[in-house]
Amino acid sequence: MKYLLTALLVASLPIGVSANDHHGSMDHSMEGHDHASMNHDDHDHAAMNHDDHDHSAMEHSGHDMSPKHALLTRTSDIDKALMAGGQPVVVDVLGVVCDFCATAMNKIFGKRQEVAAVYVDLDKKTLSLALQAGKTLSDQDIEKLAEQAGYRIAAIRRDSEAIGG
Amino acid sequence: MIRRLIALAIICLITPTVVQARPVSYTGGWTFIETSNRLSTAGLLHYTINPKVSLGLRHERMRDADIDMTMAQGTWLVKRWFGKDYQANVYTMAGAGTISDNSGMSSIQETGSFLGVMADWETRSKFVSYESRFLDKGALGSQSMHAARVGWAPYEGDTGSLHTWLMVEIDHREQLKEDTTVTPLVRFFKGAALLELGYNLTDPSPLINFTYRF
């Protein structure tokens, strides 16, 4: 059994994680640091130590156009839906820490006929949606659906705000 | 759906147990939770009726004592705290049903009930939890259990990739000779499936837990 445990520990090393790294070309350097439109009830920034990400002192050369918020995560299904004229929506979600969270939101949002494609990004803590062409989902609907999945949203961005255009 | 039920039945046969990680799912979601530890093997199939309540059926077999329990279980998410980088939960659970003591010449049937509380806090790389249960077996007596866990993920897996956690569980069951034991375990997590494999160092026995959401 000791050998089995050792083997399991070795197996736990992060082999193969990069195979799912679909963010290689995305710039996340400014993510999550400007939350002006977000609900701060659960994380009082006034009391937080922001020393570790003081952007005023950072070297920003080479990425002056970095988005202030996380953008839509692009998957082939989302790209296909956008090409068909669907609206891009990106939602900042609180409490998303594991694949069960992602499964819950994929199931709940994926059932809606207005939604053409959905992806939960644990790194960015966002829900990316591409709506069916000509369809829409109100902010209230998105909020309600997130609650049904067991989560709470902090902000919703659409169209150019979602894709950084 | 039929294929899922067949898969579930196969899992039940392969792993003759059942139950507890994230005991409330998303509205309309089904979850199968199997647990097997030094004392018993148990399984819970539950349905989440709203984001705060799940209802299910639980079967537990206490292997050494030769006792089987089948109970309806309700779980209530009392409070969830949401943060940008963390989630914390407090749950309570209760169940009632039948208990069969098969250790004697003839089986003894009793009605029983249990009450439990569970709390957890987790980020993508740190995990802490505590669970306590009290079981009333009627004329067959009662027992309690306390378990606490700490966990650490050596890397942060993204959506759909394999997530791995290294954890240590300490459990206390005052009715047992080895009342407090330590179990290191590894948690593998991918998509809708979670598997935990460990080994109790104090009371040598394997720990096998499995959770699947559908």
Side-chain angles (χ1 to χ4, degrees):
Chain A
M1 184 52 77
K2 283 177 187 170
Y3 297 110
L4 176 61
L5 281 174
T6 305
L8 288 171
L9 287 171
V10 170
S12 74
L13 293 173
I15 298 165
V17 173
S18 61
N20 287 299
D21 182 5
H22 45 84
H23 305 143
S25 62
M26 296 185 69
D27 184 355
H28 293 187
S29 60
M30 297 288 284
E31 278 175 24
H33 295 166
D34 180 357
H35 297 172
S37 63
M38 292 171 69
N39 175 356
H40 284 203
D41 291 350
D42 289 287
H43 49 285
D44 178 8
H45 283 196
M48 289 172 69
N49 180 353
H50 283 203
D51 292 350
D52 59 344
H53 56 281
D54 179 359
H55 286 194
S56 64
M58 286 171 70
E59 174 58 60
H60 280 208
S61 61
H63 55 281
D64 289 337
M65 298 302 287
S66 297
K68 290 179 179 177
H69 298 290
L71 299 179
L72 191 81
T73 299
R74 310 297 284 259
T75 66
S76 57
D77 285 346
I78 285 178
D79 281 342
K80 207 181 292 177
L82 296 182
M83 292 282 282
Q87 183 188 39
V89 183
V90 63
V91 183
D92 293 332
V93 188
L94 297 174
V96 179
V97 292
C98 69
D99 256 8
F100 276 176
C101 314
T103 301
M105 277 185 287
N106 280 330
K107 293 272 187 184
I108 292 287
F109 282 89
K111 279 181 193 168
R112 293 290 295 221
Q113 61 171 9
E114 298 93 332
V115 175
V118 53
Y119 185 81
V120 176
D121 192 319
L122 292 178
D123 282 343
K124 294 156 72 177
K125 296 156 185 87
T126 57
L127 165 70
S128 291
L129 300 170
L131 303 183
Q132 295 282 7
K135 302 275 185 183
T136 189
L137 260 185
S138 68
D139 287 2
Q140 289 87 345
D141 284 341
I142 291 173
E143 205 165 332
K144 258 186 220 167
L145 292 169
E147 278 174 17
Q148 282 179 25
Y151 299 91
R152 187 181 293 170
I153 63 171
I156 300 172
R157 295 179 293 284
R158 297 171 189 266
D159 300 319
S160 58
E161 256 200 315
I163 55 176
Chain B
M1 179 56 102
I2 290 171
R3 287 170 72 182
R4 285 175 175 166
L5 289 174
I6 292 169
L8 198 62
I10 291 169
I11 290 163
C12 291
L13 290 170
I14 294 170
T15 330
T17 75
V18 189
V19 180
Q20 210 90 323
R22 293 290 179 82
V24 177
S25 178
Y26 55 90
T27 305
W30 288 87
T31 304
F32 171 71
I33 307 174
E34 170 278 331
T35 56
S36 184
N37 54 45
R38 62 180 175 135
L39 187 66
S40 67
T41 295
L44 169 67
L45 179 65
H46 72 67
Y47 179 76
T48 298
I49 58 173
N50 67 48
K52 285 188 173 287
V53 177
S54 72
L55 299 174
L57 191 65
R58 182 174 195 269
H59 180 79
E60 180 168 2
R61 171 155 182 77
M62 295 182 171
R63 297 183 302 271
D64 290 345
D66 207 2
I67 289 174
D68 285 285
M69 300 185 292
T70 303
M71 296 189 179
Q73 173 173 331
T75 304
W76 177 40
L77 171 60
V78 179
K79 174 79 177 165
R80 172 169 289 165
W81 288 268
F82 302 90
K84 190 170 188 306
D85 300 309
Y86 72 89
Q87 179 187 134
N89 305 283
V90 174
Y91 303 92
T92 60
M93 53 213 65
T98 61
I99 299 177
S100 302
D101 183 344
N102 307 305
S103 59
M105 292 294 285
S106 59
S107 176
I108 300 170
Q109 304 292 320
E110 264 293 337
T111 55
S113 59
F114 75 89
L115 201 58
V117 62
M118 186 176 150
D120 62 44
W121 173 89
E122 72 178 289
T123 68
R124 291 181 66 199
S125 60
K126 298 179 188 73
F127 177 91
V128 182
S129 74
Y130 169 77
E131 183 178 0
S132 179
R133 275 174 185 258
F134 177 78
L135 172 66
D136 178 6
K137 295 184 286 185
L140 298 171
S142 63
Q143 62 190 64
S144 62
M145 180 280 287
H146 305 271
R149 265 193 199 193
V150 291
W152 169 73
Y155 64 93
E156 293 183 356
D158 200 7
T159 313
S161 63
L162 177 67
H163 302 232
T164 307
W165 288 80
L166 306 176
M167 296 182 158
V168 176
E169 178 175 296
I170 297 174
D171 79 308
H172 178 76
R173 300 167 193 263
E174 60 193 22
Q175 70 279 4
L176 296 182
K177 187 178 166 191
E178 293 281 4
D179 60 354
T180 302
T181 68
V182 178
T183 306
L185 62 123
V186 183
R187 169 185 282 187
F188 298 106
F189 201 161
K190 185 171 168 57
L194 180 153
L195 174 68
E196 294 178 342
L197 299 171
Y199 194 76
N200 191 316
L201 301 176
T202 319
D203 187 1
S205 53
L207 175 144
I208 305 169
N209 296 336
F210 177 76
T211 298
Y212 186 72
R213 288 187 163 179
F214 52 101

